[in-house]
Amino acid sequence: MQIEVAEFGKMSQSGNSLLKLIQNNDLPILDLLVREALQNSLDAGMKVEGHDSVHVDIGIKDVDVSGFAKHLDGISERLIEKFGDSPQKAIYIEDANTTGLTGSLDFKHSPNSNIFKLIYGISMAQETPGAGGSWGLGKTVYFRVGIGLVVYYSHILNEDGQFQHRLAVTLVENEKLPNTIIPKTNEKVPSGIAWWGQRVSPDSDDTIPITDETMIRDILHSLSIQPFEGERLGTKIIIPFIDEQQLLIKHEINPDENKPWETNVADYIGVAMQRWYSPRLANKKYTYGKYLDGHINGKRLEKEDFLPLFLELQMMYNAAAIGSKTNRYMVNDIQIRNYFEHNKVNNAGRVAYRKFTKKELDMLAPLNGPSPYTCVNENNPMGEQNAPLMAYVRRPGMIINYETDGEWCKGLHATEENEYLVSIFVPNSNTKLMNPDNEVTDLEAYLRKSEMADHTSWTDIIIKGKPFDIVEKIRSQVRRKIKASYESKEEVKGKQGLNTLARNVGKMLLPPTGFGRRASSRNRGGGTKPVANKSSRGNSFTIVSQKYLDTGDLEVHFQMKLSKSVSAFTIELFIASEGGKISATDWESEDSVGTPFPAKITRISFPDTIGLFGRSAAQKSDRKVLHAVRIEKISEPVECSGILAFNCTDPHVQVEMLMKPEGSVVNGQ
């Protein structure tokens, strides 16, 4: 293969600058490699039809130094001299069911082709909806894994409908170091960047990928790599001359815990694949496209291979993304006002969370598994207690980061030594912005644009000169929902006393009057003030008091006045939201929350009303939740008291209780 050395010129990159472009000092190099490689492969599999997954295999191979070096014009002797006397290894990343290195071989004829984006270009914005981020910046991690050499091989279907093998090699090195590999000339300033391929033309220094199948097979054989056969499409990236021990970092987080993956590169990659892609790895319920079919050294990563934490995170992700009913986790909607086209209760997404015991995470003998902090390489800032562990993720299925302190966790209480609070936030990616611009039209695009080049955090951005605070509002609501879930009644009693407890919990009920209108006054203590509003037809419905029973039900006492013309009435529970009240039917709709209605009537009675009322009918939702009762009435005026008790399974919602009369409205009286 012939060499092309990049010229150093105006506005050009150098090898030294490229290696520093994404200099992330927080994540180990193997974590960065896994995050970037898997995302590139998943993006490349988005448009390939006929498969429900993207096959990705990462592993280690032996390198035949002389057999490989002989193909690289200009550096063959240097490679053999430097590496030929000792066994050498390479990391490979293989994906299949993907588009591959498509486009014109000469990138100047197709500057937006995959060939240019992956091999020859840098810092190009990713334009595919739902893709992981920016082309070019993340891929610089490939050059930091070994000595800067990267081999790109792909089997594609070209523009003529023919299968074609393509291969090119890139080298990026720090040109300022004394022992560089790229040959130097007296006439040119070294750039630290070179490519190998075939000449575009005899009189040109530019190169393009080679397509000679015999040569490609020989190069792959020297790297212990099998070529794609038949109609199988995909790409293989091979990084030779790695130092396995240098790649493995011994973390000081919980040094006494068992971390077998830190002694072997392949094992580390397997855990890193779970750590960052557990929402999508082997997850056939993944909702935003193809799931990740991950392999290590050719062996599929099954769910049985997962560390317990990552298996739980996948199931929590599914619960939050799909909004399915689960008794194992708590799942809460996150709603943001003023930014989105609609005010659905989950317009910003959902958070799923749970407290896990050491036994549930296989941390006790004889398994003695690692703690959640060790699994994700995070410190526990709480010392003897356990800090909350928060993860967040968007559509591509890569966990952006894990946090144990900072804005995501501020104000959340630590748990005791034997349990861990783990949570994951999943945005409602398709939620449309109220005032979008050309690039940011929905929540997914907003979060994607807010990420840094290494995709390790979200931060609010400015759109059309206006600063937004969507991320801060999401974080604030996530904290509030989780905190409220674990504030026990005993803790509130100790702080505020029994009377204050009754008032605060009573806020779940927004007592309405006048057949669907909320009560218009409250006392300063936060409880509800008895109100007796009358309609023009002489009908009224007033909440008098409410209290919690030992069973956990909320018992509501009310007064009701019905005119002679009322033939029947219905008392129904609704959920209050910023966009209006939500009925059981609307709540359980797949277009809304999609879970069972959280408020269930357990008892209703009318003391001293013998002979005033007729038949009653319980009204249940599609998910069999009793949310309303319809009662017939005699043709005489009625003034009475009533008691209704209900149970609410979600401590974060507010419940409205409404009465709707029949007859007076229907008959126009």
Side-chain angles (χ1 to χ4, degrees):
M1 300 175 71
Q2 295 167 303
I3 188 172
E4 173 190 351
V5 179
E7 291 190 8
F8 189 80
K10 297 177 181 179
M11 298 291 286
S12 64
Q13 295 279 2
S14 67
N16 179 50
S17 64
L18 280 182
L19 294 173
K20 292 180 178 178
L21 265 180
I22 192 168
Q23 194 73 266
N24 183 303
N25 294 317
D26 298 327
L27 292 179
I29 190 69
L30 289 177
D31 288 85
L32 288 172
L33 175 68
V34 167
R35 285 166 61 98
E36 173 65 17
L38 292 183
Q39 196 56 68
N40 283 348
S41 296
L42 290 167
D43 291 347
M46 292 175 63
K47 297 181 180 180
V48 178
E49 298 179 356
H51 306 278
D52 62 354
S53 67
V54 175
H55 171 104
V56 182
D57 181 19
I58 305 179
I60 310 296
K61 294 291 187 180
D62 293 322
V63 177
D64 175 0
V65 177
S66 59
F68 173 63
K70 71 181 182 181
H71 291 285
L72 300 181
D73 178 37
I75 64 169
S76 301
E77 294 181 1
R78 181 79 177 96
L79 291 179
I80 294 173
E81 177 186 344
K82 190 170 183 178
F83 301 107
D85 294 334
S86 58
Q88 296 297 320
K89 301 285 186 180
I91 286 181
Y92 71 89
I93 302 122
E94 172 190 332
D95 61 52
N97 310 334
T98 55
T99 53
L101 301 178
T102 55
S104 172
L105 285 170
D106 187 353
F107 69 84
K108 292 180 181 179
H109 295 154
S110 54
N112 293 318
S113 67
N114 287 349
I115 283 183
F116 179 67
K117 290 175 179 177
L118 188 60
I119 302 176
Y120 302 110
I122 198 71
S123 303
M124 294 189 66
Q126 172 63 279
E127 298 174 351
T128 305
S134 297
W135 287 95
L137 291 181
K139 77 179 185 189
T140 60
V141 69
Y142 297 151
F143 307 125
R144 294 165 52 194
V145 173
I147 64 169
L149 264 174
V150 181
V151 179
Y152 302 94
Y153 159 68
S154 190
H155 189 224
I156 67 155
L157 200 61
N158 66 19
E159 298 89 337
D160 299 327
Q162 302 296 316
F163 291 99
Q164 186 178 62
H165 296 269
R166 296 177 167 184
L167 186 145
V169 179
T170 302
L171 174 57
V172 174
E173 63 180 358
N174 185 351
E175 73 282 359
K176 297 181 180 181
L177 296 178
N179 55 344
T180 56
I181 297 176
I182 298 174
K184 298 178 181 178
T185 61
N186 295 328
E187 299 84 18
K188 296 181 180 180
V189 176
S191 66
I193 303 173
W195 298 274
W196 283 263
Q198 62 189 35
R199 298 285 183 211
V200 175
S201 62
D203 58 346
S204 173
D205 291 332
D206 294 341
T207 60
I208 58 176
I210 64 172
T211 57
D212 185 320
E213 189 172 337
T214 301
M215 181 181 293
I216 289 175
R217 287 180 178 273
D218 191 47
I219 293 172
L220 294 178
H221 179 74
S222 70
L223 298 169
S224 305
I225 299 293
Q226 294 295 320
F228 290 109
E229 302 291 355
E231 298 183 359
R232 188 170 175 83
L233 304 177
T235 299
K236 301 189 183 190
I237 297 175
I238 307 104
I239 307 173
F241 307 118
I242 65 168
D243 185 333
E244 291 188 82
Q245 294 308 309
Q246 189 174 355
L247 292 174
L248 288 167
I249 296 176
K250 302 295 182 181
H251 287 88
E252 296 303 317
I253 298 171
N254 300 317
D256 297 331
E257 290 189 23
N258 183 26
K259 294 176 272 189
W261 61 86
E262 290 192 353
T263 61
N264 180 279
V265 169
D267 291 342
Y268 191 101
I269 291 173
V271 172
M273 196 178 288
Q274 299 171 52
R275 180 180 298 139
W276 301 113
Y277 284 91
S278 56
R280 197 165 177 174
L281 180 62
N283 183 13
K284 295 184 178 181
K285 293 183 179 180
Y286 175 72
T287 58
Y288 287 112
K290 302 177 181 182
Y291 72 91
L292 171 60
D293 182 18
H295 297 68
I296 302 297
N297 277 334
K299 182 178 181 297
R300 175 177 280 112
L301 259 175
E302 305 285 1
K303 290 185 180 180
E304 304 87 73
D305 304 317
F306 284 22
L307 291 172
L309 172 69
F310 301 126
L311 184 59
E312 296 287 355
L313 278 169
Q314 181 177 116
M315 293 189 291
M316 292 167 70
Y317 171 86
N318 287 341
I322 302 171
S324 57
K325 179 181 178 182
T326 172
N327 295 323
R328 185 168 180 80
Y329 312 111
M330 302 189 75
V331 181
N332 289 142
D333 298 306
I334 303 298
Q335 183 185 49
I336 303 296
R337 296 181 60 189
N338 303 324
Y339 284 127
F340 303 129
E341 285 185 350
H342 58 74
N343 279 322
K344 288 185 178 180
V345 293
N346 67 328
N347 64 6
R350 299 186 184 94
V351 60
Y353 50 99
R354 187 174 187 268
K355 288 182 179 178
F356 296 96
T357 64
K358 286 186 174 181
K359 182 178 181 181
E360 290 173 317
L361 297 175
D362 291 349
M363 294 176 62
L364 302 179
L367 297 174
N368 296 318
S371 70
Y373 310 116
T374 300
C375 290
V376 302
N377 291 336
E378 287 291 335
N379 283 305
N380 173 21
M382 296 295 186
E384 294 183 358
Q385 292 184 307
N386 291 323
L389 180 63
M390 179 75 202
Y392 46 102
V393 60
R394 60 178 179 86
R395 187 186 306 176
M398 180 180 76
I399 290 178
I400 303 300
N401 207 356
Y402 295 95
E403 311 230 359
T404 55
D405 57 8
E407 292 301 314
W408 284 97
C409 303
K410 184 170 65 178
L412 296 180
H413 298 303
T415 55
E416 297 303 317
E417 183 183 4
N418 66 335
E419 65 178 3
Y420 301 84
L421 171 60
V422 180
S423 55
I424 185 169
F425 170 71
V426 182
N428 189 345
S429 293
N430 298 323
T431 297
K432 300 296 184 182
L433 266 65
M434 192 178 299
N435 297 303
D437 68 4
N438 293 333
E439 294 184 357
V440 182
T441 60
D442 54 25
L443 180 57
E444 176 71 14
Y446 180 91
L447 295 175
R448 173 175 155 188
K449 196 173 184 67
S450 81
E451 292 175 10
M452 305 302 287
D454 52 7
H455 313 296
T456 58
S457 65
W458 290 338
T459 182
D460 281 307
I461 60 177
I462 296 174
I463 301 177
K464 294 181 178 179
K466 177 184 177 182
F468 280 44
D469 59 355
I470 293 175
V471 172
E472 175 51 37
K473 287 183 180 295
I474 288 174
R475 286 194 300 241
S476 176
Q477 284 215 39
V478 166
R479 295 192 306 259
R480 182 171 61 82
K481 293 290 180 78
I482 296 175
K483 186 176 181 181
S485 295
Y486 292 113
E487 278 192 349
S488 67
K489 294 179 183 178
E490 290 75 15
E491 291 172 335
V492 179
K493 284 179 183 178
K495 295 178 181 178
Q496 302 178 3
L498 292 174
N499 291 334
T500 307
L501 170 64
R503 289 198 301 269
N504 286 348
V505 179
K507 289 179 182 178
M508 290 174 57
L509 185 70
L510 301 180
T513 64
F515 332 117
R517 295 189 299 273
R518 299 185 187 179
S520 59
S521 64
R522 293 184 178 182
N523 60 33
R524 293 186 178 181
T528 58
K529 181 179 180 180
V531 181
N533 290 355
K534 293 185 178 181
S535 75
S536 61
R537 306 183 187 283
N539 303 316
S540 66
F541 180 74
T542 305
I543 304 299
V544 177
S545 64
Q546 64 272 327
K547 65 178 180 179
Y548 269 90
L549 306 177
D550 292 339
T551 60
D553 290 1
L554 184 63
E555 183 181 86
V556 183
H557 292 249
F558 58 88
Q559 291 181 342
M560 185 172 61
K561 182 182 290 187
L562 300 170
S563 66
K564 178 180 178 179
S565 58
V566 174
S567 60
F569 63 94
T570 299
I571 295 180
E572 184 174 359
L573 300 182
F574 294 83
I575 301 302
S577 77
E578 294 165 341
K581 63 181 184 295
I582 304 174
S583 68
T585 300
D586 290 340
W587 180 281
E588 294 182 355
S589 169
E590 291 301 325
D591 294 331
S592 182
V593 182
T595 61
F597 191 66
K600 176 182 179 182
I601 296 173
T602 56
R603 176 170 54 89
I604 187 170
S605 62
F606 295 89
D608 304 322
T609 58
I610 297 175
L612 299 181
F613 297 141
R615 290 178 300 177
S616 63
Q619 297 181 4
K620 293 186 177 181
S621 67
D622 292 340
R623 304 249 185 151
K624 310 302 180 185
V625 177
L626 176 57
H627 63 94
V629 177
R630 182 182 182 275
I631 301 173
E632 296 179 352
K633 169 189 158 295
I634 64 171
S635 57
E636 296 292 336
V638 170
E639 185 172 353
C640 66
S641 298
I643 302 171
L644 182 142
F646 70 89
N647 178 269
C648 187
T649 59
D650 189 336
H652 307 119
V653 299
Q654 293 179 313
V655 181
E656 284 189 8
M657 181 173 140
L658 309 183
M659 187 276 288
K660 179 181 179 181
E662 299 176 26
S664 60
V665 175
V666 174
N667 299 328
Q669 301 174 356

